[in-house]
Amino acid sequence: MEKKRMQLIPNIKPRIWHGSDYFPEQWLSDPDIFRQDIELMKKAHCNVMSIGMFAWSQLEREEGVFTFEWLDHVLDEFEKNGIYTFLATPSGARPAWLSQKYPEVLRVNANRVRNLHGARHNHCFTSPVYREKVAQINEKLAERYAKHPAVIAWHVSNEYGGECHCDHCQSAFREWLKNKYQTLDQLNHAWWTTFWSHTYTDWSQVESPAPHGESAVHGHNLDWRRFVSDQTIDFYKHEIKPLKAANSDIPVFTNFMNVLGYTDLNHAKFAEVVDFVSWDSYPTWHAQTDERELAASIAFHHDMYRSLKNGQPFLLMESTPSTTNWQGVSKLKRPGMHALSSLQAVAHGSDSVQYFQWRKSRGSSEKFHGAVVDHVGHENTRVFRDVEQLGDTLEKLSDVAGTTVDAKVAIIFDTENRWAINDAQGPRNIGVKYESTVLDHYQAFWDAGVSVDIIDMEKDISNYKLVIAPMLYMIKPGVGKQIEQFVEAGGTFVATYWSGIVDENDLVVQGGFPGSLRKTLGIWSEEIDGLYDDQTQTIKVTSEAGKHFSDTYTAHEICDLIHLETAEALASYGEDFYAGRPALTVNQLGSGRAYYIASRNQGPFHKDFYNQMISDLEIDKVIDTDLPIGVTAQARTDGKHDYVFIMNFTTDTQNLNIPNKAFIDIENNAPLSGDIELSPYEVRLLKRKVK
Ligand code: GLA
Ligand code: GLA
């Protein structure tokens, strides 16, 4: 079936965007640099630059005194040269005069100490003054540039993050809570404040969590996380008002980050107010010989960011063309890795490859961060050639723009569940490992070359064949029912230990775990055993489990002690006082099935378990072949054609068999089938007609 292409930028010929963050304001004293940059951008097949994200002090040198001539010149020259712009609002860093005159714009930390001027992202999202000043500069930019032909989208601020605990934020937090709970009694109940005599008797007693104050009330911490995320989104909404008012056709977006290092935002909510999603990816390539897990964790992010807006392509907004300067070690990308990691993003749904940064600056903290143009100032460098060559490849992929990924498998990775699970003092305070557990499940599909969506718990799941929810500790209202109906209607659901434990306020479910999933899973979880790092448990699999399973596996870290209700056991524990108790179960409900994995299992368990699912449920692999370890295949589709990316993330030459004759090699437009060889880090770009 033909699918509608989703074009992110209206009225402009679809393409894969290629470009960079660019800071022409750093070079205003040397106009030659800008002239050279334009020529180099064209040579590198760059078609869009993100500019202005830290240019506030060059746009408004004194309060109310605006200078736009330099930016006019940049945009006009871009237009003449066929280069487009993601024009940024400058709120990510503010001028010194602003902090000096209005100290309330500076952030207050959890310890209630206000920051001094400096760095960036050092502002309060609530401060009326900051909001006013940001609205004003955004209005000026919008008035002047919202209809400029070079401007194709607004890059709103930069990597929103962090929190502020000033008095303005305390009042806003209390308002947020009043709105949510209406009465203090309801707040006291939801936070279970009778514990340790923490009951509030007046709203004014409620304040944000603090290291030297309240930090032990889980519902309080969770609501603070929600408030901070909501307040950031509210600030973003404030920022885009003048932009949309000036020209509602220009899309607005902001750039998100790697969620393994960064947990402040609920992206599922943020996605509702951006026209498209973008993110900044900085993998630590070559830190380890085996890069399979790292490659899969980046793929996971791409899949998650694509899934945020239901399969709409996203943009890779930043990546380094060579090294960063902030990781422990600034390792150069080995030959081949630039194209591989860039095309990996496109394979998973990105309609761009963008860099930080175009040209290395001369001073300050990012002067040694990788860039397309090095301090030497010309194009005769390895990095520039890599970028130029990739630009040429991206031009051949313009048909891919706007296509999506057709996934029949979804993994639930939920931000609020994550906040709650990581705050709970529970079965294993030395590592409950929600994030890496989700990635372990994901890895099995990456290895097999099966497309996966990564979704939050409230997304509609009715179109998937298989939905996996590792450690769904918190279950929000309605979610248990949605999963039950999905299974009854024929879907397959997989859950694990430490699921169905608390409600949306982190209050523990009464009457037996896994709460609202109990009927679906057909089990009761009575106790959970935490294991020390050097302890293991054996899992013995029955012959009914399926041909992909081995007889035994090793479990570690967490073992759930469950009772069968309507489910049957496919495996049992082999040791300790719970030997013989079920370790893996399946429950038939309506026309579907629900599996429960009771323990955290090592090594090949997930691979075998999911290969069994893939074969039982007839889930399509991107290529119907066994991929060598470290090689994956991903595909995008418009319903008429599939665009297939085969990627070798190893330093070895790999061989695989392309089983049917339907493929065309995009780079040379020739048919391709049978045994093929992939060199180290090679990507093959193929196309096939949809059957
Ligand atoms: C101490 C405290 C108790 C309780 C336990 C938990 O003994 O007195 O209130 O917190 O620790 O182990
Ligand atoms: C982030 C920021 C950029 C730059 C890069 C460096 O992604 O958005 O401004 O600092 O990191 O890697």
Side-chain angles (χ1 to χ4, degrees):
M1 196 184 62
E2 193 166 352
K3 293 183 167 48
K4 208 171 140 270
R5 280 173 186 262
M6 291 173 275
Q7 206 178 323
L8 302 185
I9 312 288
N11 310 321
I12 292 191
K13 200 164 150 259
R15 71 196 73 190
I16 302 294
W17 298 98
H18 187 219
S20 180
D21 282 12
Y22 179 47
F23 305 98
E25 69 273 20
Q26 291 180 18
W27 306 95
L28 293 180
S29 59
D30 188 351
D32 259 1
I33 296 278
F34 180 57
R35 280 193 283 277
Q36 286 163 24
D37 280 337
I38 296 253
E39 290 316 308
L40 291 172
M41 285 168 192
K42 291 196 285 189
K43 191 162 189 349
H45 307 269
C46 284
N47 47 33
V48 64
M49 291 284 141
S50 296
I51 59 176
M53 59 271 294
F54 303 119
W56 197 338
S57 65
Q58 293 302 319
L59 295 169
E60 191 180 359
R61 293 194 75 103
E62 290 171 44
E63 187 171 13
V65 181
F66 296 92
T67 317
F68 290 109
E69 289 67 24
W70 67 269
L71 188 51
D72 294 347
H73 177 65
V74 170
L75 290 174
D76 293 347
E77 287 303 305
F78 274 2
E79 192 210 340
K80 280 187 214 147
N81 287 281
I83 297 165
Y84 290 99
T85 299
F86 298 140
L87 185 57
T89 66
S91 66
R94 90 223 69 55
W97 60 256
L98 211 166
S99 310
Q100 187 178 39
K101 181 152 181 208
Y102 307 104
E104 74 158 63
V105 304
L106 295 168
R107 247 171 223 183
V108 171
N109 294 305
N111 62 4
R112 308 315 194 236
V113 175
R114 192 181 294 280
N115 286 346
L116 303 179
H117 177 75
R120 52 179 173 172
H121 307 298
N122 175 10
H123 48 263
C124 169
F125 289 125
T126 312
S127 154
V129 173
Y130 199 59
R131 285 186 172 224
E132 185 197 316
K133 292 292 165 195
V134 167
Q136 195 180 36
I137 184 82
N138 289 8
E139 237 165 66
K140 295 273 177 203
L141 286 166
E143 272 166 21
R144 203 168 180 102
Y145 301 118
K147 298 210 166 120
H148 193 290
V151 176
I152 55 170
W154 290 105
H155 181 304
V156 183
S157 200
N158 190 71
E159 295 189 339
Y160 283 118
E163 60 189 46
C164 173
H165 297 254
C166 73
D167 291 345
H168 288 301
C169 288
Q170 301 295 349
S171 311
F173 181 41
R174 283 191 282 270
E175 284 312 306
W176 187 96
L177 292 167
K178 280 183 195 163
N179 193 33
K180 176 170 181 186
Y181 293 110
Q182 309 292 324
T183 67
L184 209 46
D185 281 350
Q186 296 200 57
L187 177 143
N188 278 314
H189 174 75
W191 291 2
W192 210 250
T193 51
T194 318
F195 176 80
W196 287 353
S197 220
H198 286 202
T199 307
Y200 297 103
T201 52
D202 192 281
W203 284 102
S204 62
Q205 296 155 0
V206 182
E207 52 179 305
S208 60
H212 54 315
E214 188 66 272
S215 65
V217 179
H218 291 161
H220 174 219
N221 293 338
L222 186 59
D223 277 337
W224 172 251
R225 296 253 60 81
R226 288 174 172 140
F227 163 77
V228 168
S229 179
D230 282 0
Q231 197 67 353
T232 312
I233 295 170
D234 189 66
F235 185 83
Y236 165 89
K237 282 160 70 179
H238 174 80
E239 281 220 45
I240 66 173
K241 254 187 237 147
L243 312 179
K244 284 289 183 190
N247 184 354
S248 59
D249 289 344
I250 303 277
V252 294
F253 70 92
T254 188
N255 48 340
F256 299 138
M257 294 182 251
N258 185 306
V259 296
L260 295 180
Y262 174 80
T263 60
D264 289 357
L265 292 177
N266 184 344
H267 293 111
K269 273 185 146 185
F270 214 139
E272 292 166 13
V273 292
V274 295
D275 288 319
F276 52 78
V277 168
S278 81
W279 82 287
D280 303 342
S281 175
Y282 292 99
T284 49
W285 296 123
H286 318 312
Q288 276 161 344
T289 329
D290 182 353
E291 303 199 86
R292 194 176 129 254
E293 278 184 21
L294 175 61
S297 108
I298 297 300
F300 171 88
H301 279 81
H302 292 319
D303 286 342
M304 178 184 70
Y305 282 128
R306 182 195 67 245
S307 307
L308 277 184
K309 282 184 94 68
N310 306 316
Q312 176 183 282
F314 60 94
L315 297 187
L316 175 64
M317 193 47 61
E318 290 180 27
S319 60
T320 177
S322 54
T323 68
T324 68
N325 71 328
W326 51 264
Q327 289 163 353
V329 172
S330 300
K331 189 92 186 152
L332 297 176
K333 278 183 178 167
R334 308 333 265 166
M337 184 45 95
H338 182 62
L340 175 61
S341 63
S342 302
L343 291 167
Q344 179 193 27
V346 180
H348 288 267
S350 176
D351 272 5
S352 75
V353 174
Q354 299 287 116
Y355 310 117
F356 178 88
Q357 52 188 343
W358 171 258
R359 180 183 277 273
K360 284 187 181 171
S361 55
R362 288 197 64 194
S364 290
S365 77
E366 290 183 327
K367 63 184 184 291
F368 297 125
H369 193 290
V372 180
V373 181
D374 213 322
H375 292 123
V376 71
H378 60 59
E379 70 271 39
N380 300 317
T381 63
R382 186 179 72 99
V383 170
F384 190 94
R385 280 191 294 273
D386 272 359
V387 168
E388 182 182 358
Q389 203 178 357
L390 178 77
D392 183 52
T393 305
L394 294 178
E395 282 175 0
K396 296 191 182 124
L397 291 177
S398 56
D399 283 353
V400 175
T403 62
T404 191
V405 170
D406 194 8
K408 291 287 171 245
V409 179
I411 298 180
I412 295 179
F413 176 65
D414 187 278
T415 302
E416 295 193 1
N417 179 52
R418 179 186 185 192
W419 288 336
I421 220 170
N422 288 334
D423 197 31
Q425 290 134 284
R428 222 174 171 272
N429 298 332
I430 59 169
V432 74
K433 301 189 183 167
Y434 176 57
E435 299 82 357
S436 61
T437 302
V438 172
L439 285 168
D440 279 351
H441 287 254
Y442 177 82
Q443 185 82 48
F445 297 95
W446 188 89
D447 287 340
V450 168
S451 303
V452 179
D453 283 348
I454 307 297
I455 60 174
D456 70 287
M457 73 172 92
E458 286 168 304
K459 267 260 153 62
D460 176 17
I461 52 174
S462 53
N463 288 326
Y464 297 109
K465 284 187 173 178
L466 172 62
V467 173
I468 302 154
M471 301 172 77
L472 199 62
Y473 166 80
M474 171 198 283
I475 299 189
K476 294 193 196 166
V479 170
K481 199 72 201 165
Q482 168 168 253
I483 292 170
E484 186 182 311
Q485 286 163 352
F486 165 76
V487 175
E488 272 173 342
T492 300
F493 176 66
V494 178
T496 72
Y497 53 86
W498 212 224
S499 290
I501 309 289
V502 300
D503 70 8
E504 76 280 13
N505 292 319
D506 212 354
L507 285 181
V508 177
V509 168
Q510 301 296 282
F513 305 133
S516 59
L517 290 178
R518 189 159 165 192
K519 176 178 165 202
T520 304
L521 293 162
I523 56 119
W524 167 43
S525 154
E526 184 187 347
E527 296 182 89
I528 192 156
D529 194 18
L531 276 59
Y532 286 91
D533 280 345
D534 57 354
Q535 298 174 338
T536 56
Q537 166 66 256
T538 309
I539 307 295
K540 294 182 172 168
V541 180
T542 69
S543 54
E544 282 93 76
K547 69 175 176 22
H548 287 272
F549 284 93
S550 304
D551 295 343
T552 59
Y553 295 94
T554 302
H556 64 152
E557 298 183 349
I558 295 179
C559 293
D560 196 355
L561 310 194
I562 63 172
H563 299 272
L564 300 176
E565 292 187 327
T566 53
E568 19 169 326
L570 298 176
S572 54
Y573 291 119
E575 295 168 65
D576 209 343
F577 74 94
Y578 43 95
R581 299 272 294 267
L584 172 68
T585 66
V586 61
N587 190 42
Q588 185 80 40
L589 182 75
S591 36
R593 311 180 114 203
Y595 292 82
Y596 190 79
I597 302 170
S599 52
R600 177 169 293 148
N601 299 330
Q602 291 182 338
F605 175 84
H606 293 112
K607 195 177 179 83
D608 295 352
F609 178 76
Y610 287 119
N611 280 340
Q612 188 68 48
M613 296 286 117
I614 290 167
S615 102
D616 288 354
L617 302 174
E618 298 178 351
I619 290 168
D620 286 336
K621 296 181 178 181
V622 167
I623 305 177
D624 192 14
T625 194
D626 283 332
L627 297 168
I629 293 189
V631 173
T632 191
Q634 298 292 327
R636 294 176 66 168
T637 186
D638 59 12
K640 277 201 301 198
H641 287 101
D642 292 338
Y643 301 90
V644 173
F645 299 65
I646 310 176
M647 296 169 275
N648 177 10
F649 281 92
T650 74
T651 48
D652 298 321
T653 300
Q654 301 284 359
N655 298 293
L656 72 152
N657 184 269
I658 305 281
N660 63 40
K661 296 202 183 334
F663 286 103
I664 303 282
D665 188 323
I666 292 177
E667 300 240 40
N668 56 21
N669 213 17
L672 184 115
S673 67
D675 293 330
I676 65 162
E677 204 178 81
L678 292 172
S679 353
Y681 297 140
E682 188 178 349
V683 191
R684 279 294 172 92
L685 307 170
L686 310 179
K687 181 172 161 176
R688 73 175 160 214
K689 278 220 169 73
V690 173
K691 286 168 254 167

